Each structure stands twice: as C-alpha cells, then as structure tokens.
Amino acid sequence: MDKLRIEGGRPLRGEVAVSGAKNAALPILCAGLLCAGPLALGNVPQLHDVATTLKLLRRLGATVERDGERVLLDAAGVGSVEAPYELVRTMRASILVLGPLLARFGEARVSLPGGCAIGQRPVDQHIKGLQAMGAQISIEHGYVVAKASRLAGARIVTDMVTVTGTENLMMAATLADGETVIENAAREPEVVDLAAALVAMGARIEGAGTDRIAVRGVGRLHGAEHRVMADRIEAGTFLCAVAAAGGEITLTGAQPATMDATLDKLREAGATIEAAGDHIRLSMKRRPRAVNVRTAPYPAFATDMQAQLMALDCIAEGTGVVTETIFENRFMHVLELQRLGADIVIEGSTAVVRGMPKLSGAAVMATDLRASAGLVIAGLVAEGQTVIDRIYHLDRGYERMEAKLGQLGARVERVTGSP
Ligand code: EPU
C-alpha cells in the first residue's frame, strides 16, 4: 500500500493547474449510457474513481477510448443492465448508472453500495424519485432491481438535498414521457455541468443551479461534446494548503465563481486572494486566523472542504468551530490530526479546534478521500516528517497530488508498495 512522506514546515510557492472535477466527470460519464451516439469529453481527470467508472461502463458493454484528459464513450453496444457489487462497493457513485439504464433500457440491476466510512449514505431518495416516475423497484439479493417500460414525468420533492440523487433523477427524466419537476434539487455546480452535457445531448432541462429543475422528456438523446468543469474541491484544497503553510500560489484552469464559500473563509483567515478569469492567486503572509465553518449544501461551505479547513484551524491563531451537517461520521481525521499535536474536542457534529503555534510530524492514517487531503495539509505545516498511510483514498479524487505539491516546492514523496 502506498504512503506519502512529507517534510513539512516550509512555505509553498508556485503555480498549479486545476484538473477537471471528479464529481462532474462521474455523472457525465454515466450520462453517456442514455444514448447510442458517441460522447466526447474533455478535461476528464485521471483518477482512480474515473478508472472505476470506465471499467463499469465497459462491463455494461460500452466502448471507451481514453487519451489523456479526453474520453470518447460510445454506449451503442450496451448489452447488460447490471452494475455488480464488486464495482459498486468500491465506489458509491456507481449508483449513477441506475437512472440512465432504467430510462434507456427499461430495466436496471444496480448493487446497493453498502456501508461507507463517512456516514450511512442511503439511496432511498433515488428510489423514491424513480418510483414516482412509475418504476417498479424491489431490493433483491442486495441489488436495486428497477423496471419501467417507459418512465413518466412526475413532480418529485426530495426529503433532503442530495447531489447524486438529483443527478440520477435528472438523467432519468430526460427520456421520460412528459415533464418531471425536481423540487429541493441540489444546486451544486456539478449538477449544472451535468445538465449542460445533457442539453448538448439533446435534453430539455431548465432550472439547473436552482432548487427547482424541470425536465421535459424527449424520445432519444444523441452524441455530443462536452468539457468537464474545473474541480472546485481540488482547487480549494491547494488554496487551503498555501493558506495554512504560508506562501503564494497561482491556480490556472479554475472556476472561481463556483468557490465563493471557500474563498470567503480563506480571506477571513487572513489570505489575500485575487480571482480573474480562470486564475486564482492567493498569498498568505501571516499565521492564519481561526475560522468557524458550518457545512451545508451549495452555495454554503462544502462538506468536501471541511477536513482541509479544519487542518488550517489546527495551526491558526484563536479557536475555530467546525460543524458538519451533511455526513454523520466525517470527523475521522480528528484523531489523526491529534497525533500531529492538534487540540480538537468533538461534541456531536461539532469540533472545537484550538489553534496551536505548531504541529509536529508523525505517522498517520488516511480514512477517506477528503480526510486524506486534510492530513496532507497538516503534514505540510507540521515540523519534521509526516508519513500518511493508505493514500489510495487520496488517489481516488486527486490527480498527481504529490507532483502538483512538488511544483509548489513542497517536499512530498510517494513511498510505493510498502506493507
Ligand atoms: N441521503 C439520504 N438518502 C439519499 C441520498 C442522500 O439520506 O437517497 C443523505 C446522505 O446520507 C447525506 C445527505 O443526504 O447525509 C447528502 O448526501 P448526497 O446524496 O448529497 O451525497 P452524494 O450525492 O452521495 C456527493 C458527492 C460527495 C459529497 C456530497 C455532498 C459525488 C460523486 N459525490 O455525494 O463527494 O460529499 O455529494 O456534497 O458527487 C467526495 O468527493 O469526497 C465526496 C464524498
């Protein structure tokens, strides 16, 4: 299992190119199942989760060609409607094939994802919405088995804001008979990017980016081209790293308009930030000030940035209060941060972080994707050596992270194949 060895305590300086967004690329790849024409995608990040999705699409019978950040997907030959447990259990986003398969082929068998480190993460809202559109759904031998000769438009009000739930229902609705309205829809930029890709394929969608999405079903969709949006979480992670360690960074290929909540918090922490076009420049000349954050659906502060901001609070001046409202078990990085000398007290879904003047390097364990990113930031700040084990979590969602950190002058090294 690979580890990451970091020699911390140095400021970071340089330029980093932001990759395409994981959480936009995954649903857009699954949207390729909705039509028999080729879908040509650009800016697809080279990540473990993307590789898993491509494997799943191939398993269903799609042909996939990949050339760097370009992917050409053709689902004309799809002959299976089953997403097997062995793939779904490694990546929950596989549930995103449910809506497209059901809408195009009238049936789907998708394994239930099972447990997840950061919380229970049920898929009841995906199922409820598809049932409202007329699907017959049962759970058989651990699989969601869905059937519908043709889905029918419906008005769906989700119980909570769900990103992949909104995406699954929006995709299914593109081929349904009549109009579907999704109320309480997720407003995440990744939902907007998926909608743009679907519209390019011939779908009729209004309201993506608001909490009411209306989809008028069409008879069929066609091939299209689409460029995946920039990864706002990857971008935010690098900005947070420099805000914590000190120094200066220029991000290229970013979409600052999707990052208001993160940029606001980093400014509050004392960073100077300028955004113009697809560039973001951040400089940090002081010890950060502690900030309070409360995660919530977009446009509020993203749960996917919580661990990174907490790492910054660990060495900030003052005390920061971090409240997680999306996932019930997303504080697993706290015990690891404490190994680096952080002073954190958890009370239910709130962590009180008293900033320390310094952290000291230690061996720590990554527990999930964003927790790993938080540990990398803490490792960059800590004096001495930090070794992060189980960084396969990091590889799921960050493209060449150690190379990009190297461009900033960080001393980060991957130690491969250690037991
Ligand atoms: N929920 C339900 N029932 C459902 C769906 C969701 O109870 O049917 C609950 C979840 O358990 C959670 C809340 O609703 O408490 C919100 O979950 P959501 O469905 O929005 O999460 P998701 O769609 O499974 C996506 C991202 C996550 C990100 C969350 C929240 C993708 C592929 N994943 O997950 O990304 O944390 O939205 O913004 O888009 C990551 O990239 O590290 C990551 C975990």
Side-chain angles (χ1 to χ4, degrees), residues 190-210:
E190 292 77 12
V191 174
V192 179
D193 203 34
L194 170 63
L198 291 168
V199 167
M201 293 164 72
R204 294 175 59 192
I205 301 173
E206 277 172 19
T210 74

Side-chain angles (χ1 to χ4, degrees), residues 23 96 126 161-168 186-188 190-191:
N23 289 347
L96 286 164
H126 305 233
V161 176
T162 156
V163 178
T164 51
T166 300
E167 292 167 343
N168 235 339
R187 292 179 282 167
E188 267 65 4
E190 292 77 12
V191 174

Side-chain angles (χ1 to χ4, degrees), residues 22-24 26-27 92-93 96 118-127 160-165 167 186 188 190 232-233 302-304 325-328 330 368-370:
K22 167 178 86 78
N23 289 347
L26 302 183
R92 302 180 58 83
L96 286 164
I118 62 177
Q120 291 184 32
R121 304 181 79 183
V123 292
D124 56 305
Q125 300 301 306
H126 305 233
I127 292 174
M160 76 290 293
V161 176
T162 156
V163 178
T164 51
E167 292 167 343
E188 267 65 4
E190 292 77 12
R232 63 194 169 102
I233 305 300
T303 174
D304 289 347
T325 76
I326 305 290
F327 293 112
E328 64 275 17
R330 216 173 195 184
D368 67 78
L369 169 55
R370 307 304 171 185

Side-chain angles (χ1 to χ4, degrees), residues 260-274:
D260 286 340
T262 296
L263 299 183
D264 283 355
K265 282 296 157 189
L266 293 175
R267 284 193 181 104
E268 201 182 315
T272 305
I273 301 178
E274 290 157 34

